[in-house]
Amino acid sequence: MYLKKAFWSDTLTSSSDSQTHPQSPVGELVRSLDNQRLYREVTLALRTGLRDARGEFSFLRVRGLKNILKFLRSVAEADSTINLFCYSQSIPDLQVVPVLFQHSLKESEDQVIPNLDHIFTVNRIKINGPSTDEEVALALRVLEGCCLLHSESTVLAHQHRAIQVLMNVLSTRGVLEQGACLDALISIMLDSSVNQMDFEACNGIEEVALLIRDRQADENLRLKCGEFLLLLLGHLNGRERSPMALIHEDVRRLLGEKSASLIWAASQFGSTLDPEQRLTALHIQARRVLESLDLY
């Protein structure tokens, strides 16, 4: 669901600009009504998407996740809607991250039925269909969006063992899910020391290094691993008392001196560049990292 702009908002803005006293009672009332309308749309979009995301069948969950992802992209267009989304995540019934880990990202061993007693009784047991590749990839994209828009979502992710779940996805799933997983890992580790500590405890750098060194792996996935290392090291550089203080030594040990030096130097790129230029620079530097690995 996309958030719609109120049809009277342009008229209100133009009339306010032409008046010497823009903070009129009428203007304040209209703005208050507009905020209430936006909040209703936010809550409606979340309730509708989460209802499907909790579904028993994968096609229902996929539909819900697609709607939530469209909603998050719409939310990101304005600070006012971002603030409303952040407020909504303080309400348990509207929180997105727990639903992701309770359904789409639920580990397979959690869905195993220990015995057959339920078959011979009248008590109904709810069994959810397994998550498809598309569903897992969508859930990871939704997780990434939630953590980027709402920093407290990283705390919710930690409460659901997010790093352990994502590392399992990275080591067992296909290319589609692995690429989305690397992006989600970056988003949940930004400014989250507990998630960074979990990543280090899970030997996350070793898992990423294993993928990027594998010449038989998908090239786009290897490039994504290079981008992941560049973003992670760039974010941690210069931070005091980082939980991942030894990451430079780990990268040097796993990838070699030349590649580690290149990653360290490239991670300093373009803080003055605009977002599109930074993305282009990131792709170029990741390609160079990959080439340095293939040469030695």
Side-chain angles (χ1 to χ4, degrees), residues 12 34 37-38 82 95 159 162 165 167 184 199 236 238 245:
L12 176 64
D34 190 38
R37 177 192 62 82
L38 273 177
I82 292 176
Q95 289 176 344
Q159 293 171 359
V165 172
M167 293 310 302
F199 183 74
L236 295 176

mmCIF file of all heavy atoms in Angstrom, residues 12 34 37-38 82 95 159 162 165 167 184 199 236 238 245:
data_model
loop_
_atom_site.group_PDB
_atom_site.id
_atom_site.type_symbol
_atom_site.label_atom_id
_atom_site.label_comp_id
_atom_site.label_asym_id
_atom_site.label_seq_id
_atom_site.Cartn_x
_atom_site.Cartn_y
_atom_site.Cartn_z
ATOM 1 N N LEU A 12 -3.268 24.137 0.650
ATOM 2 C CA LEU A 12 -2.941 24.667 1.971
ATOM 3 C C LEU A 12 -1.555 25.298 1.971
ATOM 4 O O LEU A 12 -1.348 26.379 2.510
ATOM 5 C CB LEU A 12 -3.010 23.555 3.007
ATOM 6 C CG LEU A 12 -2.607 23.943 4.441
ATOM 7 C CD1 LEU A 12 -3.577 24.974 4.989
ATOM 8 C CD2 LEU A 12 -2.551 22.715 5.332
ATOM 9 N N ASP A 34 -4.522 15.992 8.761
ATOM 10 C CA ASP A 34 -3.660 15.304 7.801
ATOM 11 C C ASP A 34 -2.762 14.292 8.513
ATOM 12 O O ASP A 34 -2.546 13.176 8.028
ATOM 13 C CB ASP A 34 -2.813 16.324 7.044
ATOM 14 C CG ASP A 34 -2.082 15.702 5.864
ATOM 15 O OD1 ASP A 34 -2.670 14.831 5.194
ATOM 16 O OD2 ASP A 34 -0.923 16.076 5.609
ATOM 17 N N ARG A 37 -4.834 11.344 9.401
ATOM 18 C CA ARG A 37 -5.087 10.530 8.204
ATOM 19 C C ARG A 37 -3.878 9.667 7.859
ATOM 20 O O ARG A 37 -4.011 8.474 7.567
ATOM 21 C CB ARG A 37 -5.409 11.451 7.021
ATOM 22 C CG ARG A 37 -5.633 10.717 5.694
ATOM 23 C CD ARG A 37 -5.656 11.695 4.539
ATOM 24 N NE ARG A 37 -4.397 12.402 4.410
ATOM 25 C CZ ARG A 37 -3.322 11.908 3.797
ATOM 26 N NH1 ARG A 37 -3.367 10.691 3.277
ATOM 27 N NH2 ARG A 37 -2.216 12.614 3.695
ATOM 28 N N LEU A 38 -2.680 10.276 7.925
ATOM 29 C CA LEU A 38 -1.464 9.527 7.634
ATOM 30 C C LEU A 38 -1.273 8.377 8.626
ATOM 31 O O LEU A 38 -0.896 7.267 8.234
ATOM 32 C CB LEU A 38 -0.248 10.458 7.684
ATOM 33 C CG LEU A 38 0.106 11.213 6.402
ATOM 34 C CD1 LEU A 38 1.287 12.136 6.646
ATOM 35 C CD2 LEU A 38 0.405 10.246 5.267
ATOM 36 N N ILE A 82 8.207 8.629 8.136
ATOM 37 C CA ILE A 82 9.213 7.838 8.857
ATOM 38 C C ILE A 82 8.960 7.921 10.358
ATOM 39 O O ILE A 82 9.017 6.919 11.079
ATOM 40 C CB ILE A 82 10.634 8.325 8.517
ATOM 41 C CG1 ILE A 82 10.968 7.997 7.064
ATOM 42 C CG2 ILE A 82 11.666 7.674 9.448
ATOM 43 C CD1 ILE A 82 12.313 8.521 6.612
ATOM 44 N N GLN A 95 4.458 -4.331 15.255
ATOM 45 C CA GLN A 95 5.890 -4.543 15.038
ATOM 46 C C GLN A 95 6.120 -5.566 13.928
ATOM 47 O O GLN A 95 5.532 -6.645 13.930
ATOM 48 C CB GLN A 95 6.547 -5.011 16.337
ATOM 49 C CG GLN A 95 6.633 -3.907 17.386
ATOM 50 C CD GLN A 95 7.197 -4.401 18.710
ATOM 51 O OE1 GLN A 95 7.252 -5.599 18.967
ATOM 52 N NE2 GLN A 95 7.601 -3.464 19.553
ATOM 53 N N GLN A 159 16.839 -9.717 19.778
ATOM 54 C CA GLN A 159 16.030 -10.540 20.673
ATOM 55 C C GLN A 159 15.565 -11.837 20.007
ATOM 56 O O GLN A 159 15.239 -12.804 20.691
ATOM 57 C CB GLN A 159 14.823 -9.737 21.162
ATOM 58 C CG GLN A 159 15.191 -8.570 22.068
ATOM 59 C CD GLN A 159 14.004 -7.671 22.369
ATOM 60 O OE1 GLN A 159 12.886 -7.899 21.884
ATOM 61 N NE2 GLN A 159 14.236 -6.640 23.170
ATOM 62 N N ALA A 162 18.843 -12.759 15.481
ATOM 63 C CA ALA A 162 18.891 -12.443 14.061
ATOM 64 C C ALA A 162 20.199 -12.862 13.396
ATOM 65 O O ALA A 162 20.190 -13.431 12.295
ATOM 66 C CB ALA A 162 18.663 -10.935 13.858
ATOM 67 N N VAL A 165 20.351 -16.585 12.803
ATOM 68 C CA VAL A 165 19.421 -16.984 11.744
ATOM 69 C C VAL A 165 19.971 -16.585 10.376
ATOM 70 O O VAL A 165 19.953 -17.382 9.424
ATOM 71 C CB VAL A 165 18.039 -16.347 11.975
ATOM 72 C CG1 VAL A 165 17.121 -16.605 10.779
ATOM 73 C CG2 VAL A 165 17.403 -16.888 13.255
ATOM 74 N N MET A 167 23.109 -15.970 9.509
ATOM 75 C CA MET A 167 24.303 -16.734 9.142
ATOM 76 C C MET A 167 23.925 -18.121 8.631
ATOM 77 O O MET A 167 24.592 -18.672 7.742
ATOM 78 C CB MET A 167 25.241 -16.847 10.343
ATOM 79 C CG MET A 167 25.857 -15.527 10.787
ATOM 80 S SD MET A 167 26.614 -14.573 9.449
ATOM 81 C CE MET A 167 27.822 -15.749 8.835
ATOM 82 N N ALA A 184 20.964 -7.321 4.565
ATOM 83 C CA ALA A 184 20.279 -7.280 5.862
ATOM 84 C C ALA A 184 21.281 -7.292 7.012
ATOM 85 O O ALA A 184 21.078 -6.618 8.025
ATOM 86 C CB ALA A 184 19.316 -8.460 5.983
ATOM 87 N N PHE A 199 27.809 -11.320 15.539
ATOM 88 C CA PHE A 199 28.414 -11.622 14.235
ATOM 89 C C PHE A 199 29.827 -12.169 14.420
ATOM 90 O O PHE A 199 30.226 -13.136 13.755
ATOM 91 C CB PHE A 199 28.439 -10.354 13.384
ATOM 92 C CG PHE A 199 28.976 -10.551 11.988
ATOM 93 C CD1 PHE A 199 28.216 -11.197 11.029
ATOM 94 C CD2 PHE A 199 30.235 -10.084 11.642
ATOM 95 C CE1 PHE A 199 28.706 -11.374 9.736
ATOM 96 C CE2 PHE A 199 30.729 -10.255 10.360
ATOM 97 C CZ PHE A 199 29.966 -10.898 9.402
ATOM 98 N N LEU A 236 33.167 0.778 10.574
ATOM 99 C CA LEU A 236 33.871 0.556 11.834
ATOM 100 C C LEU A 236 35.149 1.363 11.973
ATOM 101 O O LEU A 236 35.649 1.535 13.083
ATOM 102 C CB LEU A 236 34.202 -0.940 11.978
ATOM 103 C CG LEU A 236 33.020 -1.898 12.094
ATOM 104 C CD1 LEU A 236 33.501 -3.334 12.138
ATOM 105 C CD2 LEU A 236 32.183 -1.588 13.333
ATOM 106 N N GLY A 238 37.829 3.969 12.660
ATOM 107 C CA GLY A 238 37.903 5.150 13.511
ATOM 108 C C GLY A 238 37.017 5.106 14.735
ATOM 109 O O GLY A 238 36.999 6.052 15.519
ATOM 110 N N ALA A 245 37.000 -5.018 16.993
ATOM 111 C CA ALA A 245 38.274 -4.306 16.892
ATOM 112 C C ALA A 245 39.312 -5.095 16.102
ATOM 113 O O ALA A 245 40.232 -4.515 15.524
ATOM 114 C CB ALA A 245 38.797 -3.993 18.292
#
